Amino acid sequence: MSGADYYTRLAAVLFTALLIVAVIMNPNAGRKAVDRAAAVAAAVETTPVSARPCAIGEPGLAGPFASIDDVLSISPLGGITAPGEVLPAPYIRINTKRAEAGFQRRTTQALTPAKADIVALERKIERNAEGRAITQSWTVHFRACENISFYYDRLDVVSDEIISRAGGMEKFTELGGPDHIALETQLRVQRGDVVGQADGFDVGLHDLGSSPATLERPERYSSNPYARAAVFNAPPSLIEAITLDTARARCPINYLPKDDQPLWAAKLGDSWGIRQAKGEDACRTAIADKEGAAQGVWFTDAAHNAATSKVSAVALAADSIDPDRLIFSLHGRLPSFSPELVGLAPFMDAEREAAAKDFLSFSKGEGRINASFANVRDGEVYCYEKLRTNFVGPLINGVVLLERQSGEAGPALLKIEVRGDALSCIDLEEPWAFSGNETMFYR
């Protein structure tokens, strides 16, 4: 045995002897140490994750949103404003594959992608004109750490266990009526836990430590869309838990572990997996209002924001899947766009009515014809032709005129009109001008 080994072993024997003496003199010391460690661990576990700093250098999420085997495609929702959405943001929709029988999509389990707390639950019911409930959807709001919040939207059901742990349906608060209810919670969930089921659902993530998206009128987005809930005695903390900071929305895929990101990014495309994403930023960081241009979000009034009940937002942007295809996301808010301009047979009235409320898409051009919205400059009239409803719908028998103007003493405005007296821009007499049937939108 070497000298070094001898002294190492001697030190170990002396340390063990001292430890035995200490235990004899104070037999409860070891148990107290264990109890203290357990108490510390319990305190850490029950501390809300919203109070914990996010781990530096680690991804915000740790696992999948659902089984990848059930996922057909992932639609970036940033390029198109759906009715009711205020700010286009990089929220994504998980589209499931077709079920084994029939043409319906398969149901998949929504999985918790990280250790987190469920901070709120929402349920919304939509009714038809006769007042009969036609859809019911759930939103689950999570917090993974101090700066990372995320949510699942349009879940068909939430697990009974979660509802039970939250105290049952009787604990929910009405937000304006029984068709929209919500509950603040503090439910710890682990990576891989099943929170609900759906045949497809939306995912949104907000990085509260990031810089907000560039907005020409940021005050438009500062109002609380649930302000009316105070009338119904909803706790302020509940309103805070369900209010989305869309200016700090980020692509959820970018917060998955590095090895998992390519697998999910490869699924980016349209809802049926036919159109695959072409752009490098298909799951965009956010649609930014392009200052001095037409790109971005516009409102149907000059002062209030789109979260109010009578004001809506529209968006003009490049398609997040194919950047060379541009989108008028207008959703029926142009009186000049009548259903008769949709290129369908005259007897297809219902189909033409629906198509006139859809978004319009077209291929990017040059100059003042089909110009990129980012290149639209003040005081010039631009013309857009060969438009179709959505990406594969019927063509429009007409053109769209657009002009942006900066307000000297007020907000910038955008004039838009569909002209049915021309099938192409060269058919219009120069200089292009509005007929008096244009619609005004505002920053």
Side-chain angles (χ1 to χ4, degrees), residues 318 323-326 362-366 369-373 375 384:
D324 288 330
R325 194 152 191 87
L326 305 182
F362 57 94
S363 295
K364 183 169 62 177
E366 297 181 356
I369 297 179
N370 286 18
S372 168
F373 297 128
N375 295 331
Y384 295 85

Side-chain angles (χ1 to χ4, degrees), residues 31-47:
R31 187 178 62 198
K32 290 179 180 178
V34 172
D35 290 343
R36 284 196 299 271
V40 170
V44 170
E45 184 64 21
T46 56
T47 301

Side-chain angles (χ1 to χ4, degrees), residues 37-300:
V40 170
V44 170
E45 184 64 21
T46 56
T47 301
V49 294
S50 59
R52 301 183 191 177
C54 301
I56 299 175
E58 294 185 11
L61 305 177
F65 313 111
S67 171
I68 194 70
D69 293 334
D70 289 337
V71 178
L72 172 66
S73 66
I74 299 172
S75 297
L77 301 184
I80 304 169
T81 314
E85 291 180 351
V86 178
L87 172 66
Y91 306 135
I92 57 176
R93 179 159 182 82
I94 306 295
N95 303 300
T96 60
K97 297 177 180 177
R98 187 169 292 173
E100 295 182 2
F103 295 96
Q104 302 297 318
R105 294 185 186 270
R106 72 175 62 171
T107 296
T108 190
Q109 294 179 329
L111 306 176
T112 305
K115 181 179 179 180
D117 284 347
I118 296 176
V119 296
L121 299 169
E122 285 185 88
R123 190 196 69 183
K124 298 177 183 176
I125 295 177
E126 294 185 13
R127 301 182 183 275
N128 60 17
E130 290 74 34
R132 186 171 64 252
I134 53 175
T135 62
Q136 173 180 285
S137 64
W138 288 85
T139 306
V140 181
H141 299 265
F142 302 84
R143 200 70 173 263
C145 59
E146 185 178 18
N147 287 329
I148 303 298
S149 68
F150 60 97
Y151 71 91
Y152 288 167
D153 191 25
R154 293 199 283 176
L155 293 174
D156 295 332
V157 296
V158 168
S159 77
D160 292 338
E161 179 186 359
I162 288 177
I163 298 296
S164 176
R165 289 174 59 195
M169 295 300 300
E170 63 274 11
K171 296 292 185 179
F172 281 71
T173 299
E174 293 186 6
L175 300 182
D179 288 347
H180 184 190
I181 59 177
L183 175 66
E184 184 181 10
T185 66
Q186 195 69 55
L187 306 178
R188 182 64 47 84
V189 287
Q190 304 295 329
R191 174 187 179 275
D193 285 354
V194 177
V195 297
Q197 293 184 339
D199 60 359
F201 58 94
D202 299 347
V203 182
L205 181 142
H206 304 91
D207 188 341
L208 306 181
S210 64
S211 299
T214 303
L215 302 168
E216 191 170 356
R217 294 272 312 274
E219 70 274 13
R220 286 278 195 171
Y221 308 96
S222 62
S223 296
N224 189 336
Y226 299 105
R228 290 181 64 249
V231 178
F232 304 96
N233 300 316
S237 56
L238 169 60
I239 303 306
E240 181 181 358
I242 64 177
T243 300
L244 307 179
D245 186 359
T246 49
R248 287 181 170 81
R250 296 294 181 265
C251 176
I253 293 176
N254 294 342
Y255 285 74
L256 291 170
K258 291 293 184 183
D259 292 343
D260 296 341
Q261 290 180 21
L263 182 66
W264 288 84
K267 296 281 187 177
L268 287 166
D270 66 7
S271 61
W272 285 106
I274 298 173
R275 300 171 61 248
Q276 296 299 310
K278 297 180 181 179
E280 294 181 0
D281 193 21
C283 186
R284 64 180 75 244
T285 54
I287 286 187
D289 293 340
K290 183 73 173 180
E291 186 174 359
Q295 177 179 299
V297 184
W298 295 83
F299 299 85
T300 57

